[in-house]
mmCIF file of all heavy atoms in Angstrom:
data_model
loop_
_atom_site.group_PDB
_atom_site.id
_atom_site.type_symbol
_atom_site.label_atom_id
_atom_site.label_comp_id
_atom_site.label_asym_id
_atom_site.label_seq_id
_atom_site.Cartn_x
_atom_site.Cartn_y
_atom_site.Cartn_z
ATOM 1 N N GLU A 92 -10.853 44.796 -2.145
ATOM 2 C CA GLU A 92 -10.629 44.164 -0.842
ATOM 3 C C GLU A 92 -9.810 45.130 0.020
ATOM 4 O O GLU A 92 -8.601 45.292 -0.193
ATOM 5 C CB GLU A 92 -9.882 42.847 -1.057
ATOM 6 C CG GLU A 92 -9.554 42.079 0.173
ATOM 7 C CD GLU A 92 -10.711 41.232 0.651
ATOM 8 O OE1 GLU A 92 -11.430 40.664 -0.165
ATOM 9 O OE2 GLU A 92 -10.861 41.161 1.884
ATOM 10 N N GLU A 93 -10.438 45.788 0.978
ATOM 11 C CA GLU A 93 -9.751 46.812 1.774
ATOM 12 C C GLU A 93 -8.509 46.274 2.477
ATOM 13 O O GLU A 93 -7.500 46.966 2.565
ATOM 14 C CB GLU A 93 -10.698 47.460 2.786
ATOM 15 C CG GLU A 93 -10.092 48.653 3.494
ATOM 16 C CD GLU A 93 -9.424 49.690 2.580
ATOM 17 O OE1 GLU A 93 -10.002 50.081 1.555
ATOM 18 O OE2 GLU A 93 -8.280 50.114 2.891
ATOM 19 N N ALA A 94 -8.556 45.030 2.944
ATOM 20 C CA ALA A 94 -7.379 44.460 3.604
ATOM 21 C C ALA A 94 -6.216 44.324 2.617
ATOM 22 O O ALA A 94 -5.053 44.515 2.984
ATOM 23 C CB ALA A 94 -7.715 43.110 4.222
ATOM 24 N N ALA A 95 -6.504 44.011 1.362
ATOM 25 C CA ALA A 95 -5.456 43.896 0.351
ATOM 26 C C ALA A 95 -4.846 45.265 0.056
ATOM 27 O O ALA A 95 -3.624 45.402 -0.045
ATOM 28 C CB ALA A 95 -6.016 43.273 -0.935
ATOM 29 N N ILE A 96 -5.695 46.277 -0.060
ATOM 30 C CA ILE A 96 -5.204 47.628 -0.334
ATOM 31 C C ILE A 96 -4.367 48.137 0.845
ATOM 32 O O ILE A 96 -3.305 48.734 0.650
ATOM 33 C CB ILE A 96 -6.377 48.579 -0.657
ATOM 34 C CG1 ILE A 96 -7.089 48.097 -1.927
ATOM 35 C CG2 ILE A 96 -5.906 50.014 -0.790
ATOM 36 C CD1 ILE A 96 -6.201 47.882 -3.141
ATOM 37 N N ALA A 97 -4.808 47.866 2.054
ATOM 38 C CA ALA A 97 -4.034 48.261 3.239
ATOM 39 C C ALA A 97 -2.688 47.535 3.272
ATOM 40 O O ALA A 97 -1.660 48.119 3.645
ATOM 41 C CB ALA A 97 -4.833 47.977 4.509
ATOM 42 N N PHE A 98 -2.673 46.267 2.873
ATOM 43 C CA PHE A 98 -1.432 45.485 2.826
ATOM 44 C C PHE A 98 -0.455 46.123 1.835
ATOM 45 O O PHE A 98 0.716 46.359 2.163
ATOM 46 C CB PHE A 98 -1.768 44.042 2.422
ATOM 47 C CG PHE A 98 -0.618 43.078 2.513
ATOM 48 C CD1 PHE A 98 -0.128 42.649 3.741
ATOM 49 C CD2 PHE A 98 -0.045 42.564 1.359
ATOM 50 C CE1 PHE A 98 0.918 41.741 3.822
ATOM 51 C CE2 PHE A 98 0.999 41.655 1.421
ATOM 52 C CZ PHE A 98 1.478 41.239 2.657
ATOM 53 N N ILE A 99 -0.929 46.456 0.651
ATOM 54 C CA ILE A 99 -0.085 47.098 -0.360
ATOM 55 C C ILE A 99 0.419 48.443 0.148
ATOM 56 O O ILE A 99 1.612 48.763 0.025
ATOM 57 C CB ILE A 99 -0.860 47.273 -1.677
ATOM 58 C CG1 ILE A 99 -1.187 45.904 -2.279
ATOM 59 C CG2 ILE A 99 -0.081 48.134 -2.668
ATOM 60 C CD1 ILE A 99 -2.227 45.943 -3.385
ATOM 61 N N ARG A 100 -0.465 49.223 0.724
ATOM 62 C CA ARG A 100 -0.099 50.543 1.248
ATOM 63 C C ARG A 100 0.997 50.420 2.307
ATOM 64 O O ARG A 100 1.866 51.287 2.423
ATOM 65 C CB ARG A 100 -1.347 51.216 1.830
ATOM 66 C CG ARG A 100 -1.257 52.717 1.862
ATOM 67 C CD ARG A 100 -2.556 53.350 2.350
ATOM 68 N NE ARG A 100 -3.575 53.330 1.318
ATOM 69 C CZ ARG A 100 -4.806 52.819 1.451
ATOM 70 N NH1 ARG A 100 -5.191 52.300 2.591
ATOM 71 N NH2 ARG A 100 -5.653 52.858 0.453
ATOM 72 N N GLY A 101 0.977 49.334 3.072
ATOM 73 C CA GLY A 101 2.006 49.099 4.084
ATOM 74 C C GLY A 101 3.402 49.001 3.492
ATOM 75 O O GLY A 101 4.388 49.351 4.141
ATOM 76 N N PHE A 102 3.507 48.535 2.249
ATOM 77 C CA PHE A 102 4.797 48.474 1.555
ATOM 78 C C PHE A 102 5.158 49.836 0.972
ATOM 79 O O PHE A 102 6.273 50.312 1.144
ATOM 80 C CB PHE A 102 4.760 47.432 0.426
ATOM 81 C CG PHE A 102 4.772 46.018 0.910
ATOM 82 C CD1 PHE A 102 3.596 45.389 1.283
ATOM 83 C CD2 PHE A 102 5.960 45.320 1.003
ATOM 84 C CE1 PHE A 102 3.602 44.081 1.739
ATOM 85 C CE2 PHE A 102 5.986 44.016 1.459
ATOM 86 C CZ PHE A 102 4.794 43.387 1.834
ATOM 87 N N THR A 103 4.203 50.439 0.272
ATOM 88 C CA THR A 103 4.507 51.676 -0.449
ATOM 89 C C THR A 103 4.800 52.836 0.492
ATOM 90 O O THR A 103 5.678 53.650 0.206
ATOM 91 C CB THR A 103 3.381 52.038 -1.430
ATOM 92 O OG1 THR A 103 2.162 52.251 -0.724
ATOM 93 C CG2 THR A 103 3.192 50.928 -2.461
ATOM 94 N N GLU A 104 4.112 52.908 1.603
ATOM 95 C CA GLU A 104 4.345 54.003 2.549
ATOM 96 C C GLU A 104 5.684 53.889 3.256
ATOM 97 O O GLU A 104 6.233 54.887 3.716
ATOM 98 C CB GLU A 104 3.203 54.086 3.568
ATOM 99 C CG GLU A 104 1.911 54.592 2.950
ATOM 100 C CD GLU A 104 0.756 54.666 3.932
ATOM 101 O OE1 GLU A 104 0.875 54.128 5.072
ATOM 102 O OE2 GLU A 104 -0.275 55.250 3.565
ATOM 103 N N LYS A 105 6.229 52.688 3.345
ATOM 104 C CA LYS A 105 7.516 52.471 4.013
ATOM 105 C C LYS A 105 8.679 52.441 3.015
ATOM 106 O O LYS A 105 9.820 52.197 3.405
ATOM 107 C CB LYS A 105 7.491 51.170 4.800
ATOM 108 C CG LYS A 105 6.458 51.142 5.904
ATOM 109 C CD LYS A 105 7.096 51.408 7.223
ATOM 110 C CE LYS A 105 6.164 51.100 8.367
ATOM 111 N NZ LYS A 105 5.490 52.217 8.912
ATOM 112 N N GLY A 106 8.392 52.647 1.722
ATOM 113 C CA GLY A 106 9.446 52.640 0.716
ATOM 114 C C GLY A 106 9.987 51.260 0.400
ATOM 115 O O GLY A 106 11.070 51.126 -0.164
ATOM 116 N N LYS A 107 9.234 50.217 0.752
ATOM 117 C CA LYS A 107 9.673 48.860 0.429
ATOM 118 C C LYS A 107 9.433 48.598 -1.057
ATOM 119 O O LYS A 107 8.457 49.068 -1.623
ATOM 120 C CB LYS A 107 8.907 47.832 1.264
ATOM 121 C CG LYS A 107 9.285 47.860 2.732
ATOM 122 C CD LYS A 107 8.585 46.744 3.484
ATOM 123 C CE LYS A 107 9.018 46.709 4.935
ATOM 124 N NZ LYS A 107 8.441 45.544 5.640
ATOM 125 N N PRO A 108 10.307 47.832 -1.692
ATOM 126 C CA PRO A 108 10.159 47.588 -3.124
ATOM 127 C C PRO A 108 8.913 46.771 -3.456
ATOM 128 O O PRO A 108 8.539 45.855 -2.720
ATOM 129 C CB PRO A 108 11.435 46.841 -3.506
ATOM 130 C CG PRO A 108 12.016 46.345 -2.244
ATOM 131 C CD PRO A 108 11.512 47.199 -1.142
ATOM 132 N N VAL A 109 8.295 47.145 -4.582
ATOM 133 C CA VAL A 109 7.091 46.488 -5.080
ATOM 134 C C VAL A 109 7.300 46.223 -6.564
ATOM 135 O O VAL A 109 7.776 47.101 -7.291
ATOM 136 C CB VAL A 109 5.843 47.369 -4.873
ATOM 137 C CG1 VAL A 109 4.616 46.745 -5.518
ATOM 138 C CG2 VAL A 109 5.604 47.639 -3.389
ATOM 139 N N ALA A 110 6.933 45.030 -7.017
ATOM 140 C CA ALA A 110 6.996 44.669 -8.427
ATOM 141 C C ALA A 110 5.597 44.274 -8.885
ATOM 142 O O ALA A 110 4.963 43.417 -8.267
ATOM 143 C CB ALA A 110 7.978 43.513 -8.634
ATOM 144 N N ALA A 111 5.108 44.916 -9.960
ATOM 145 C CA ALA A 111 3.754 44.652 -10.465
ATOM 146 C C ALA A 111 3.810 44.487 -11.973
ATOM 147 O O ALA A 111 4.410 45.306 -12.668
ATOM 148 C CB ALA A 111 2.823 45.798 -10.087
ATOM 149 N N ILE A 112 3.168 43.455 -12.470
ATOM 150 C CA ILE A 112 3.189 43.177 -13.904
ATOM 151 C C ILE A 112 1.777 43.102 -14.470
ATOM 152 O O ILE A 112 0.845 42.699 -13.764
ATOM 153 C CB ILE A 112 3.982 41.883 -14.216
ATOM 154 C CG1 ILE A 112 4.163 41.693 -15.723
ATOM 155 C CG2 ILE A 112 3.368 40.680 -13.537
ATOM 156 C CD1 ILE A 112 5.194 40.645 -16.108
ATOM 157 N N CYS A 113 1.651 43.530 -15.716
ATOM 158 C CA CYS A 113 0.430 43.413 -16.507
ATOM 159 C C CYS A 113 -0.714 44.222 -15.886
ATOM 160 O O CYS A 113 -0.669 45.437 -15.859
ATOM 161 C CB CYS A 113 0.085 41.929 -16.674
ATOM 162 S SG CYS A 113 -1.023 41.564 -18.035
ATOM 163 N N HIS A 114 -1.744 43.567 -15.360
ATOM 164 C CA HIS A 114 -2.854 44.261 -14.699
ATOM 165 C C HIS A 114 -2.591 44.500 -13.210
ATOM 166 O O HIS A 114 -3.392 45.140 -12.534
ATOM 167 C CB HIS A 114 -4.151 43.451 -14.849
ATOM 168 C CG HIS A 114 -4.722 43.466 -16.234
ATOM 169 N ND1 HIS A 114 -4.227 42.673 -17.250
ATOM 170 C CD2 HIS A 114 -5.737 44.172 -16.776
ATOM 171 C CE1 HIS A 114 -4.918 42.887 -18.352
ATOM 172 N NE2 HIS A 114 -5.833 43.795 -18.106
ATOM 173 N N GLY A 115 -1.479 43.992 -12.671
ATOM 174 C CA GLY A 115 -1.137 44.159 -11.260
ATOM 175 C C GLY A 115 -1.155 45.598 -10.763
ATOM 176 O O GLY A 115 -1.581 45.861 -9.640
ATOM 177 N N PRO A 116 -0.718 46.590 -11.564
ATOM 178 C CA PRO A 116 -0.725 47.979 -11.093
ATOM 179 C C PRO A 116 -2.104 48.546 -10.753
ATOM 180 O O PRO A 116 -2.184 49.572 -10.083
ATOM 181 C CB PRO A 116 -0.084 48.750 -12.257
ATOM 182 C CG PRO A 116 0.839 47.763 -12.879
ATOM 183 C CD PRO A 116 0.074 46.459 -12.817
ATOM 184 N N TRP A 117 -3.176 47.896 -11.187
ATOM 185 C CA TRP A 117 -4.521 48.353 -10.812
ATOM 186 C C TRP A 117 -4.630 48.529 -9.300
ATOM 187 O O TRP A 117 -5.201 49.486 -8.819
ATOM 188 C CB TRP A 117 -5.556 47.332 -11.253
ATOM 189 C CG TRP A 117 -6.468 47.758 -12.351
ATOM 190 C CD1 TRP A 117 -6.668 49.016 -12.838
ATOM 191 C CD2 TRP A 117 -7.320 46.899 -13.092
ATOM 192 N NE1 TRP A 117 -7.594 48.979 -13.849
ATOM 193 C CE2 TRP A 117 -8.011 47.701 -14.028
ATOM 194 C CE3 TRP A 117 -7.573 45.526 -13.061
ATOM 195 C CZ2 TRP A 117 -8.938 47.167 -14.915
ATOM 196 C CZ3 TRP A 117 -8.491 45.010 -13.946
ATOM 197 C CH2 TRP A 117 -9.168 45.822 -14.863
ATOM 198 N N THR A 118 -4.085 47.578 -8.552
ATOM 199 C CA THR A 118 -4.191 47.638 -7.095
ATOM 200 C C THR A 118 -3.403 48.807 -6.520
ATOM 201 O O THR A 118 -3.779 49.364 -5.495
ATOM 202 C CB THR A 118 -3.729 46.321 -6.448
ATOM 203 O OG1 THR A 118 -2.396 46.048 -6.868
ATOM 204 C CG2 THR A 118 -4.640 45.159 -6.830
ATOM 205 N N LEU A 119 -2.320 49.175 -7.192
ATOM 206 C CA LEU A 119 -1.519 50.311 -6.733
ATOM 207 C C LEU A 119 -2.286 51.626 -6.850
ATOM 208 O O LEU A 119 -2.070 52.544 -6.061
ATOM 209 C CB LEU A 119 -0.207 50.388 -7.519
ATOM 210 C CG LEU A 119 0.776 49.242 -7.267
ATOM 211 C CD1 LEU A 119 1.874 49.243 -8.311
ATOM 212 C CD2 LEU A 119 1.348 49.346 -5.866
ATOM 213 N N ILE A 120 -3.180 51.718 -7.829
ATOM 214 C CA ILE A 120 -4.029 52.905 -7.954
ATOM 215 C C ILE A 120 -4.886 53.039 -6.707
ATOM 216 O O ILE A 120 -4.941 54.100 -6.086
ATOM 217 C CB ILE A 120 -4.915 52.832 -9.217
ATOM 218 C CG1 ILE A 120 -4.055 52.912 -10.484
ATOM 219 C CG2 ILE A 120 -5.973 53.944 -9.201
ATOM 220 C CD1 ILE A 120 -4.813 52.607 -11.775
ATOM 221 N N ASN A 121 -5.553 51.956 -6.322
ATOM 222 C CA ASN A 121 -6.429 51.988 -5.145
ATOM 223 C C ASN A 121 -5.655 52.236 -3.861
ATOM 224 O O ASN A 121 -6.197 52.796 -2.908
ATOM 225 C CB ASN A 121 -7.236 50.700 -5.053
ATOM 226 C CG ASN A 121 -8.285 50.610 -6.142
ATOM 227 O OD1 ASN A 121 -7.956 50.582 -7.328
ATOM 228 N ND2 ASN A 121 -9.544 50.592 -5.767
ATOM 229 N N ALA A 122 -4.387 51.850 -3.842
ATOM 230 C CA ALA A 122 -3.548 52.078 -2.662
ATOM 231 C C ALA A 122 -2.981 53.496 -2.638
ATOM 232 O O ALA A 122 -2.270 53.861 -1.706
ATOM 233 C CB ALA A 122 -2.416 51.056 -2.616
ATOM 234 N N GLY A 123 -3.284 54.301 -3.662
ATOM 235 C CA GLY A 123 -2.787 55.675 -3.708
ATOM 236 C C GLY A 123 -1.296 55.760 -3.930
ATOM 237 O O GLY A 123 -0.646 56.693 -3.470
ATOM 238 N N ALA A 124 -0.743 54.808 -4.679
ATOM 239 C CA ALA A 124 0.708 54.698 -4.782
ATOM 240 C C ALA A 124 1.277 54.991 -6.166
ATOM 241 O O ALA A 124 2.436 54.676 -6.422
ATOM 242 C CB ALA A 124 1.123 53.291 -4.360
ATOM 243 N N VAL A 125 0.494 55.602 -7.081
ATOM 244 C CA VAL A 125 1.022 55.802 -8.430
ATOM 245 C C VAL A 125 1.250 57.255 -8.811
ATOM 246 O O VAL A 125 1.958 57.529 -9.775
ATOM 247 C CB VAL A 125 0.134 55.118 -9.502
ATOM 248 C CG1 VAL A 125 -0.018 53.636 -9.200
ATOM 249 C CG2 VAL A 125 -1.203 55.797 -9.645
ATOM 250 N N SER A 126 0.698 58.197 -8.078
ATOM 251 C CA SER A 126 0.832 59.612 -8.445
ATOM 252 C C SER A 126 2.302 60.029 -8.466
ATOM 253 O O SER A 126 3.052 59.776 -7.513
ATOM 254 C CB SER A 126 0.059 60.493 -7.463
ATOM 255 O OG SER A 126 0.111 61.834 -7.880
ATOM 256 N N GLY A 127 2.715 60.612 -9.599
ATOM 257 C CA GLY A 127 4.091 61.061 -9.741
ATOM 258 C C GLY A 127 5.078 59.969 -10.086
ATOM 259 O O GLY A 127 6.278 60.237 -10.202
ATOM 260 N N ARG A 128 4.609 58.731 -10.243
ATOM 261 C CA ARG A 128 5.504 57.606 -10.536
ATOM 262 C C ARG A 128 5.549 57.347 -12.037
ATOM 263 O O ARG A 128 4.544 57.472 -12.735
ATOM 264 C CB ARG A 128 5.026 56.325 -9.834
ATOM 265 C CG ARG A 128 4.849 56.429 -8.320
ATOM 266 C CD ARG A 128 6.099 56.844 -7.575
ATOM 267 N NE ARG A 128 7.159 55.884 -7.540
ATOM 268 C CZ ARG A 128 7.294 54.944 -6.610
ATOM 269 N NH1 ARG A 128 6.433 54.831 -5.627
ATOM 270 N NH2 ARG A 128 8.304 54.116 -6.670
ATOM 271 N N ARG A 129 6.705 56.965 -12.535
ATOM 272 C CA ARG A 129 6.867 56.540 -13.926
ATOM 273 C C ARG A 129 6.698 55.032 -13.947
ATOM 274 O O ARG A 129 7.361 54.319 -13.190
ATOM 275 C CB ARG A 129 8.260 56.941 -14.419
ATOM 276 C CG ARG A 129 8.499 56.668 -15.872
ATOM 277 C CD ARG A 129 9.867 57.268 -16.302
ATOM 278 N NE ARG A 129 10.037 57.154 -17.732
ATOM 279 C CZ ARG A 129 10.550 56.082 -18.340
ATOM 280 N NH1 ARG A 129 10.961 55.039 -17.626
ATOM 281 N NH2 ARG A 129 10.653 56.061 -19.658
ATOM 282 N N MET A 130 5.782 54.539 -14.809
ATOM 283 C CA MET A 130 5.491 53.109 -14.794
ATOM 284 C C MET A 130 4.875 52.643 -16.103
ATOM 285 O O MET A 130 4.516 53.458 -16.950
ATOM 286 C CB MET A 130 4.594 52.766 -13.605
ATOM 287 C CG MET A 130 3.303 53.546 -13.504
ATOM 288 S SD MET A 130 2.492 53.443 -11.874
ATOM 289 C CE MET A 130 2.324 51.692 -11.632
ATOM 290 N N THR A 131 4.735 51.330 -16.227
ATOM 291 C CA THR A 131 4.089 50.713 -17.367
ATOM 292 C C THR A 131 3.126 49.652 -16.868
ATOM 293 O O THR A 131 3.046 49.383 -15.663
ATOM 294 C CB THR A 131 5.125 50.141 -18.367
ATOM 295 O OG1 THR A 131 4.470 49.860 -19.603
ATOM 296 C CG2 THR A 131 5.822 48.908 -17.828
ATOM 297 N N SER A 132 2.376 49.060 -17.808
ATOM 298 C CA SER A 132 1.370 48.057 -17.471
ATOM 299 C C SER A 132 0.839 47.466 -18.766
ATOM 300 O O SER A 132 1.264 47.854 -19.855
ATOM 301 C CB SER A 132 0.213 48.707 -16.710
ATOM 302 O OG SER A 132 -0.484 49.595 -17.585
#
Side-chain angles (χ1 to χ4, degrees):
E92 179 83 38
E93 188 49 46
I96 298 307
F98 188 72
I99 294 166
R100 204 176 284 126
F102 287 85
T103 61
E104 289 179 349
K105 298 259 192 262
K107 290 185 177 186
V109 174
I112 188 166
C113 200
H114 288 79
W117 248 346
T118 57
L119 293 167
I120 293 170
N121 290 62
V125 304
S126 184
R128 304 302 291 271
R129 185 173 187 273
M130 55 196 305
T131 195
S132 67

